[in-house]
Amino acid sequence: MIEKRKFYINGSWVDPIEGRDHHVIDPSTEEPCAVISLGGQADTDAAVAAAKDAFHEWMFTPPADRIALVEKLLDVYKSRSEEMAQAMSMEMGAPIDMARSSQVGAGASHIKNFLTAARSFEFERPLGGHAPNDRIIYEPVGVCALITPWNWPMNQVTLKVCAAAIAGCTMVLKPSEESPLNALLFAEMMDAAGFPKGVFNLVNGDGAGVGSQLSAHEDVDMVSFTGSTRAGKLISKSAADTLKRVHLELGGKGANLIFADADDQAVKRGVLHMMNNTGQSCNAPSRMMVEAPIYDDVVEQAGEVASQVSVGPASAEGRHIGPVVNATQWQKIQDLIQKGIDEGARLVTGGTGRPEGLNKGFYVRPTVFADVTNDMTIAREEIFGPVLSIMRFDTEEEAVRIANDTPYGLTNYVQSQDGARRNRLARHLRSGMVEMNGQSRSAGSPFGGMKQSGNGREGGVWGIEDFLEVKSVSGWSPE
Ligand code: NAD
């Protein structure tokens, strides 16, 4: 069993002051695979103090030097990518091929996009030609607490750490206790890249402990959080007393609007996107909404595609999906599938229990429900498993109304060959992102949501701006 009890504070690996052991469970086998330490208030305080001490010097380190360290980090990240893929695959259950390509790849591409954005970012700029003595100075927010989830670990860690570092912030990362090994490896990479001591610190802990301590800490200037809407609310409340900046990336319940003129791959694409990462993505297109004339055909096709999705252990190569992360999530998904059945949705494929042939591991049957209405629990709650809900609509207006009738607003999807309609829908869907006809958003585009999906924008230039204060200066002397 891997033993990784130390924290990374002030440029060194240190023993916890108040640590207690925590076993990391391999979701493919249900067996412990590592033991880490969960810190307490004294560990949180030590890490925050290190970040606070390092702040002034890092803030005034020229941006070009900060960028050069992130370039170095990218080299180290690439050279240790296989170790990173293995860590994520074991601790959160991403099948190894997918861990190598998407999970590790997401981190590399975010770092590259930040570097591109940073190289042309003007940290000091004129207000405008009308005001020669005014300057706008973008300066770092300060000490940042970065709290991340387990589902796309390197995606989220790089989105926060690299943006904060380029902005000139110092930081304490608290990764999810479900998947800490990738973050510990990432800390080794930050160390190898040569960041000055105290700029980056890592303390393991749970939400009730280190997570809450960071959110309430008076020397933390900002919390950047990705995770559940539940925890986002708690963090906002505990951050309120110190009025720190709170940046939230939360859950979603994306609608995928399939019109009768959609391309012939649209249904397959939608189902496979839902199943990707075993349904554990905040931007999953979990409500497939289908125009009435093609509804029956789409339900049949979706059922066929889902029934061909194979499920297996994360260590096996291939294009299957892995287990979900832990026993709690497994049980929550089972309860929601049962709720779908009880509330009258039509089970097309899948259902409760493990897939055939798998009797250990947190495996879920790829499941499709049809005849779902938007008031059913499975249409309202984020399931975070491989479960798709299909609904029918008659008109574009009705589709927009149903799609927007959710507390969430992260990503919506549109499948239609009608360009004018696509543009109309892009304007009317209330979400931070709208993706159409299977086209991914391009490098450097901002990721984030509206409503209860959060308020932050991560990635590219917007991601860097999230960690900056805007200072307005008059009486500036031309240099
Ligand atoms: P979670 O909220 O339980 O945990 C996320 C992190 O927050 C962990 O590090 C956890 O220890 C910490 N935490 C929990 N309670 C806390 C508290 N009270 N104070 C401070 N920290 C606390 O979420 P999860 O189950 O790990 O992740 C899944 C959720 O994340 C899903 O809801 C998903 O939609 C969301 N998510 C959102 C995005 C996005 O960018 N919008 C991306 C990925 C995941």
Side-chain angles (χ1 to χ4, degrees), residues 35 61 102 104 156 174 243 245 260 268 273 299 308 328 366-367 381 392 476:
V35 57
T61 298
S102 310
V104 172
Q156 284 124 1
K174 192 212 78 65
L243 288 176
R245 190 189 284 200
K268 182 175 182 189
H273 190 171
V299 170
Q308 282 162 22
T328 309
T367 297
E381 287 189 18
R392 183 200 303 261
W476 183 266

Side-chain angles (χ1 to χ4, degrees), residues 147-152 155-156 159 174-178 205-213 215 225-232 234-235 238 248-252 280-283 325 329 332 382 384 408 410 433 447-449 453-454 458:
I147 302 178
T148 53
W150 44 264
N151 59 332
W152 284 94
N155 177 67
Q156 284 124 1
L159 278 172
K174 192 212 78 65
S176 170
E177 60 277 30
E178 301 291 335
D206 56 17
V210 177
S212 312
Q213 290 153 11
S215 319
F225 171 73
T226 300
S228 60
T229 298
R230 174 199 64 83
L234 291 172
I235 288 171
S238 68
L248 302 169
E249 299 286 355
L250 309 174
Q280 302 168 114
S281 299
C282 48
N283 59 352
V325 72
Q329 284 294 121
K332 183 185 155 205
E382 189 182 42
F384 235 51
Y408 295 109
L410 191 58
M433 297 166 284
F447 187 104
S453 290
E458 296 196 304

Side-chain angles (χ1 to χ4, degrees), residues 158-193:
T158 55
L159 278 172
K160 297 191 192 306
V161 171
C162 299
I166 287 169
C169 292
T170 57
M171 65 204 87
V172 179
L173 170 65
K174 192 212 78 65
S176 170
E177 60 277 30
E178 301 291 335
S179 64
L181 301 179
N182 65 82
L184 289 163
L185 177 57
F186 185 83
E188 290 179 24
M189 296 177 179
M190 291 294 285
D191 187 67

Side-chain angles (χ1 to χ4, degrees), residues 85-331:
Q86 295 290 348
M88 286 192 278
S89 181
M90 179 173 69
E91 63 189 342
M92 54 77 60
I96 187 62
D97 284 343
M98 184 267 190
R100 287 185 182 119
S101 54
S102 310
Q103 292 278 5
V104 172
S109 78
H110 291 315
I111 302 176
K112 280 185 213 147
N113 295 339
F114 279 134
L115 287 169
T116 306
R119 287 182 192 119
S120 58
F121 193 87
E122 286 181 282
F123 285 88
E124 291 187 10
R125 54 183 86 163
L127 175 64
H130 69 292
N133 299 120
D134 280 44
R135 274 289 178 287
I136 299 297
I137 300 179
Y138 284 84
E139 66 181 43
V141 173
V143 173
C144 297
L146 314 177
I147 302 178
T148 53
W150 44 264
N151 59 332
W152 284 94
M154 265 307 112
N155 177 67
Q156 284 124 1
V157 166
T158 55
L159 278 172
K160 297 191 192 306
V161 171
C162 299
I166 287 169
C169 292
T170 57
M171 65 204 87
V172 179
L173 170 65
K174 192 212 78 65
S176 170
E177 60 277 30
E178 301 291 335
S179 64
L181 301 179
N182 65 82
L184 289 163
L185 177 57
F186 185 83
E188 290 179 24
M189 296 177 179
M190 291 294 285
D191 187 67
F195 282 85
K197 62 181 189 163
V199 169
F200 170 85
N201 306 276
L202 180 151
V203 179
N204 277 317
D206 56 17
V210 177
S212 312
Q213 290 153 11
L214 286 168
S215 319
H217 208 290
E218 60 180 19
D219 289 332
V220 170
D221 300 295
M222 168 172 170
V223 182
S224 176
F225 171 73
T226 300
S228 60
T229 298
R230 174 199 64 83
K233 289 176 185 171
L234 291 172
I235 288 171
S236 302
K237 284 179 192 161
S238 68
D241 280 342
T242 48
L243 288 176
K244 54 175 61 71
R245 190 189 284 200
V246 180
H247 161 133
L248 302 169
E249 299 286 355
L250 309 174
K253 195 71 198 176
N256 183 7
L257 276 48
I258 304 196
F259 287 86
D261 64 351
D263 67 275
D264 59 5
Q265 293 300 303
V267 177
K268 182 175 182 189
R269 200 165 57 229
V271 175
L272 295 182
H273 190 171
M274 179 64 236
M275 302 299 162
N276 186 35
N277 208 32
T278 321
Q280 302 168 114
S281 299
C282 48
N283 59 352
S286 52
R287 293 180 296 156
M288 183 178 274
M289 296 176 39
V290 185
E291 198 171 8
I294 58 165
Y295 181 80
D296 291 335
D297 282 352
V298 168
V299 170
E300 198 184 324
Q301 240 193 87
E304 266 167 36
V305 174
S307 63
Q308 282 162 22
V309 171
S310 58
V311 184
S315 56
E317 307 213 330
R319 290 167 56 86
H320 59 288
I321 61 171
V324 296
V325 72
N326 59 27
T328 309
Q329 284 294 121
W330 189 87
Q331 191 54 53

Side-chain angles (χ1 to χ4, degrees), residues 58-79:
W58 185 240
M59 171 178 171
F60 287 103
T61 298
D65 296 357
R66 301 200 296 254
I67 291 169
L69 284 165
V70 177
E71 283 168 347
K72 187 80 209 315
L73 172 71
L74 180 59
D75 291 341
V76 182
Y77 184 86
K78 284 185 191 156
S79 72

Side-chain angles (χ1 to χ4, degrees), residues 382-401:
E382 189 182 42
I383 300 177
F384 235 51
V387 183
L388 178 69
S389 298
I390 308 186
M391 302 186 239
R392 183 200 303 261
F393 70 84
D394 287 307
T395 64
E396 186 179 313
E397 292 68 30
E398 187 191 9
V400 170
R401 188 179 53 71

